[in-house]
């Protein structure tokens, strides 16, 4: 990466002027939302499967980390599995992610979304380290972002740029028979029940 490109990226990160809606729901509603026209990040969840599209989704996020970058036009969506051998070099991954952002996106307006990680998972000991690396990259590039870290459930995410909307489909909410609004009162309380850490960017709104 050249110094000129770094300067351009860092220079423009503070110019965000659009607000993304983040909606949290169960997997059935998620499937209805992301039924048609969504590019999908599929297994084996490496840098090769990354998509850049007007609409994108990925499923089965457990110990993995999913990272989405939006530029107001499309979304660049990553889903990285920490147990896949070719994903073990985090320095290389950081470089590859940065290069994709620079080479593929409109750098004037970028917002981030990150979800994943399982702590103390004996089958995936580098899960948290992977999440922290990818979150650290957002900070390095001065990209505002919302995060949903940890928890003990499978999740799916999708983004539709025509609505500027993220949706999180959580297995946990599939176990709830009563309406989620009456049980949790607010989506913020639901998110804190599902995930260990939640941070909503000033430029985002968490809703049902």
């Amino acid at each position: 990466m050249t110094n000129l490109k770094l300067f351009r990226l860092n220079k423009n990160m503070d110019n965000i002027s659009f607000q993304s809606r983040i909606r949290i729901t169960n997997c059935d509603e998620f499937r209805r939302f992301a039924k048609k026209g969504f590019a999908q990040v599929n297994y084996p969840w490496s840098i090769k499967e990354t998509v850049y599209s007007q609409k994108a989704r990925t499923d089965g996020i457990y110990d993995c980390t999913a990272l989405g970058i939006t530029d107001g036009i499309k979304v660049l969506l990553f889903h990285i599995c920490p147990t896949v051998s070719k994903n073990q070099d985090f320095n290389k991954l950081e470089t590859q992610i940065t290069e994709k952002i620079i080479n593929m996106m409109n750098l004037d307006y970028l917002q981030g979304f990150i979800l994943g990680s399982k702590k103390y998972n004996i089958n995936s000991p580098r899960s948290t380290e992977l999440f922290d690396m990818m979150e650290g990259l957002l900070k390095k590039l001065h990209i505002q972002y919302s995060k949903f870290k940890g928890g003990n459930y499978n999740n799916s995410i999708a983004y539709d740029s025509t609505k500027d909307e993220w949706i999180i489909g959580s297995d946990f909410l599939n176990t709830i028979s009563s309406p989620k609004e009456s049980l949790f009162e607010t989506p913020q309380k639901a998110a804190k029940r599902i995930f260990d850490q939640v941070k909503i960017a000033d430029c985002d709104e968490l809703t049902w």
Side-chain angles (χ1 to χ4, degrees):
M1 186 191 315
T2 66
N3 290 332
L4 178 61
K5 285 183 175 178
L6 265 175
F7 171 77
R8 184 184 176 199
L9 191 60
N10 290 331
K11 179 176 181 288
N12 286 291
M13 286 304 120
D14 297 325
N15 296 330
I16 296 172
S17 63
F18 59 94
Q19 183 178 49
S20 295
R21 182 183 187 212
I22 301 172
R23 190 153 54 93
I24 188 165
T25 188
N26 61 40
C27 295
D28 292 336
E29 188 175 340
F30 174 86
R31 283 189 287 269
R32 288 192 290 271
F33 173 87
K35 187 175 181 179
K36 293 182 179 180
F38 283 76
Q40 187 153 354
V41 183
N42 291 314
Y43 180 85
W45 301 316
S46 70
I47 198 78
K48 184 179 179 181
E49 286 72 46
T50 302
V51 300
Y52 181 52
S53 179
Q54 190 177 49
K55 299 179 180 181
R57 64 177 283 182
T58 191
D59 302 286
I61 307 164
Y62 185 70
D63 59 319
C64 305
T65 294
L67 170 66
I69 309 290
T70 64
D71 59 11
I73 301 171
K74 293 183 178 181
V75 59
L76 183 64
L77 186 59
F78 304 86
H79 182 162
I80 305 297
C81 177
T83 59
V84 173
S85 58
K86 59 184 172 182
N87 296 337
Q88 296 294 312
D89 187 339
F90 289 172
N91 289 329
K92 182 179 179 180
L93 268 176
E94 181 176 320
T95 299
Q96 290 173 322
I97 292 170
T98 304
E99 288 176 348
K100 282 187 177 291
I101 294 170
I102 289 174
N103 294 330
M104 299 176 70
M105 305 196 77
N106 170 13
L107 301 180
D108 290 332
Y109 304 103
L110 297 185
Q111 292 177 202
F113 178 101
I114 186 168
L115 181 149
S117 173
K118 290 292 174 289
K119 62 183 180 181
Y120 313 129
N121 189 312
I122 60 173
N123 297 315
S124 186
R126 302 193 72 193
S127 176
T128 298
E129 185 182 353
L130 172 64
F131 185 100
D132 292 345
M133 179 276 289
M134 295 172 77
E135 182 181 10
L137 178 59
L138 291 170
K139 293 177 180 178
K140 285 181 186 178
L141 300 180
H142 304 286
I143 299 175
Q144 294 191 61
Y145 65 95
S146 293
K147 80 170 180 179
F148 301 84
K149 183 178 183 182
N152 293 309
Y153 307 98
N154 272 298
N155 299 286
S156 300
I157 62 171
Y159 177 78
D160 183 346
S161 65
T162 65
K163 300 177 180 180
D164 193 12
E165 181 178 46
W166 286 97
I167 186 166
I168 303 169
S170 174
D171 279 354
F172 173 71
L173 291 179
N174 272 27
T175 67
I176 305 301
S177 57
S178 58
K180 57 183 180 293
E181 292 89 343
S182 62
L183 182 65
F184 292 107
E185 297 178 0
T186 68
Q188 289 77 16
K189 288 183 179 179
K192 289 179 180 179
R193 174 64 178 82
I194 297 167
F195 303 97
D196 296 327
Q197 295 180 30
V198 177
K199 178 180 82 74
I200 306 301
D202 292 339
C203 56
D204 291 335
E205 175 190 15
L206 182 64
T207 185
W208 291 124

